[in-house]
Amino acid sequence: MNIDRDLARIVRQEQELQFDRFDLDTAWALGSLLRKTAAERKLGVVIDITLYSMQVFYAALEGATPDNPNWVRRKRNTVFRLFKSSYATGRELAKAQTNLQAKLGLADADYAAHGGSFPIVVKGTGCIGAVTVSGLPQREDHNMVVEALATLLGKDHGALKLED
């Protein structure tokens, strides 16, 4: 897992996985796709889609833990603060050998630079929310979100996914 390769790929993901429009029906379609995928793969995850003003989709699957909603909140806060995926933030900090507290004064109790939260961006508007998965190793949380976004947006997931 080369950090520079990951960061370059995540930049591409964030550029390509943007919406022309995003409404509550889109949130439902994205959340439902993530839930269906998680159920088929028997993954114990929590799925959250939040627009700045409200949570618009939430699901917890068998095997999720009471810690997962807090991880969702912390990863989502990171996206809302920095307008990029929580995994990109984590990889950037790892490369710089620092953390959110040291670099930006952001408390671990409220922010997490771990994979799984991805900005919902509307072209010409910017980041309006975040889609978050928690329950898998952080790289897998991130990949699951990217896979669903690519599918929903008709993009080539194979060309966008992070290398193993």
Side-chain angles (χ1 to χ4, degrees):
M1 293 182 284
N2 179 285
I3 291 176
D4 290 324
R5 274 198 307 263
D6 279 357
L7 289 170
R9 183 62 55 96
I10 295 168
V11 165
R12 183 172 172 204
Q13 292 169 349
E14 291 176 355
Q15 289 170 345
E16 291 197 29
L17 299 175
Q18 297 184 11
F19 292 85
D20 292 323
R21 60 186 289 277
F22 192 94
D23 58 18
L24 297 179
D25 289 334
T26 311
W28 181 259
L30 177 57
S32 297
L33 176 59
L34 281 162
R35 193 203 177 287
K36 179 177 183 264
T37 300
E40 287 172 352
R41 297 176 186 171
K42 299 183 181 0
L43 302 174
V45 297
V46 165
I47 301 160
D48 174 271
I49 300 174
T50 297
L51 303 182
Y52 275 109
S53 61
M54 68 181 165
Q55 184 179 56
V56 296
F57 186 94
Y58 182 89
L61 283 84
E62 189 66 38
T65 71
D67 289 332
N68 294 131
N70 192 42
W71 276 101
V72 164
R73 179 187 62 81
R74 292 169 57 223
K75 291 190 279 188
R76 183 181 61 224
N77 285 347
T78 302
V79 170
F80 286 170
R81 180 67 179 257
L82 302 173
F83 305 119
K84 63 176 125 185
S85 75
S86 56
Y87 197 51
T89 299
R91 300 302 280 160
E92 288 170 354
L93 292 168
K95 182 177 179 178
Q97 298 181 346
T98 190
N99 59 52
L100 285 170
Q101 176 67 45
K103 183 168 182 173
L104 300 170
L106 301 177
D108 288 342
D110 292 316
Y111 296 89
H114 296 271
S117 193
F118 200 93
I120 297 171
V121 174
V122 174
K123 295 173 190 172
T125 300
C127 180
I128 64 162
V131 52
T132 310
V133 169
S134 178
L136 306 172
Q138 64 171 329
R139 191 175 182 88
E140 293 174 37
D141 281 345
H142 177 85
N143 282 332
M144 185 174 174
V145 171
V146 168
E147 179 182 355
L149 287 168
T151 299
L152 192 64
L153 290 166
K155 302 287 183 174
D156 180 4
H157 176 246
L160 291 172
K161 70 180 181 179
L162 295 176
E163 298 172 3
D164 294 328

